[in-house]
Amino acid sequence: MAKYFDVHPDNPQPRSIAQVADSVRSGALIAYPTDSCYALGCRLGSRDGIDRIRSIRALDNRHHFTLVCQDFAQLGQFVQIDNDVFRAIKASTPGSYTFILPATREVPRMLQHPKKKTVGVRIPDHVVTQALLAELGEPLLSSTLLLPGEDEPMTQGWEIKDRLDHVVDAVIDSGDCGTEPTTVVDFSGGEAEIVRQGAGDTTRFE
């Protein structure tokens, strides 16, 4: 049965955030809000967490997982960025964007795209997510909480708790965070390629 945390969207309770972070460190799989819909998240090196996300979402090994980072300094540990790309990403973060970039050696091979050796990274503009990342001290390995056969992600914490009670370990509910996923921009080829138009404005990448 999943633990349920009712967290204030603007002033998240430190005790609740600390409890969720402890759960993640212990190997928990969580459902949590971001600035563009709910996501599933686990610790960076958790093979069990990855397998569970793949199972819940029915994903194959070509799926790009995302490392949700607290800030640009943390993001820079996990992906290779040249100067032009650096400026473009810096100007767009925090925000509703996921960037696909070549992974560094800090990224476990099981998280990388099997052929391209790339990984998704993002810095969310969401108070609760930022509080959790600050407490955790490392990125969350994440994937949008979109169930197989459904067109839109779930937006209500209580609904997620009800439907995924036996497949996730904790649910953070801080209110509706929308259904529009991030805009995905692939920089792995050197130039910006918009893979998915989502919540983030694509103008600066076109």
Side-chain angles (χ1 to χ4, degrees):
M1 241 176 115
K3 293 179 181 175
Y4 181 78
F5 295 89
D6 187 3
V7 175
H8 194 281
D10 301 314
N11 297 290
Q13 301 91 318
R15 186 171 176 224
S16 295
I17 295 297
Q19 286 178 308
V20 177
D22 285 343
S23 296
V24 171
R25 291 188 196 101
S26 301
L29 176 63
I30 66 169
Y32 70 100
T34 77
D35 53 346
S36 58
C37 60
Y38 268 83
L40 295 166
C42 66
R43 196 169 187 184
L44 180 58
S46 174
R47 180 172 288 280
D48 176 66
I50 293 169
D51 289 344
R52 290 166 70 188
I53 292 173
R54 286 192 195 280
S55 175
I56 291 168
R57 292 206 53 204
L59 301 171
D60 62 26
N61 67 354
R62 291 167 298 179
H63 175 74
H64 265 113
F65 284 98
T66 299
L67 301 182
V68 178
C69 301
Q70 182 185 359
D71 53 30
F72 208 88
Q74 191 178 72
L75 181 148
Q77 298 174 43
F78 298 95
V79 288
Q80 300 168 34
I81 311 176
D82 65 27
N83 287 338
D84 290 340
V85 174
F86 175 94
R87 284 191 289 271
I89 295 178
K90 188 86 162 116
S92 308
T93 55
S96 300
Y97 296 92
T98 299
F99 301 101
I100 297 172
L101 290 156
T104 66
R105 293 181 180 179
E106 299 294 318
V107 180
R109 190 175 293 274
M110 62 185 172
L111 301 186
Q112 300 177 28
H113 188 284
K115 292 183 178 177
K116 298 179 180 178
K117 308 303 180 198
T118 50
V119 70
V121 286
R122 69 173 299 225
I123 302 170
D125 187 13
H126 192 281
V127 172
V128 173
T129 317
Q130 281 290 342
L132 177 58
L133 292 168
E135 180 67 30
L136 193 59
E138 61 182 57
L140 269 171
L141 168 64
S142 291
S143 183
T144 303
L145 209 176
L146 180 62
L147 298 181
E150 299 198 359
D151 295 326
E152 290 190 340
M154 286 185 284
T155 63
Q156 303 292 338
W158 60 266
E159 181 190 11
I160 294 167
K161 158 77 169 152
D162 189 49
R163 291 187 60 184
L164 301 182
D165 202 22
H166 298 292
V167 291
V168 301
D169 301 304
V171 176
I172 299 177
D173 188 346
S174 63
D176 192 330
C177 58
T179 60
E180 193 169 19
T182 56
T183 289
V184 179
V185 184
D186 188 345
F187 275 111
S188 61
E191 298 289 325
E193 179 189 348
I194 298 165
V195 177
R196 179 179 71 197
Q197 170 76 63
D201 181 13
T202 60
T203 306
R204 64 166 53 94
F205 303 110
E206 293 170 347

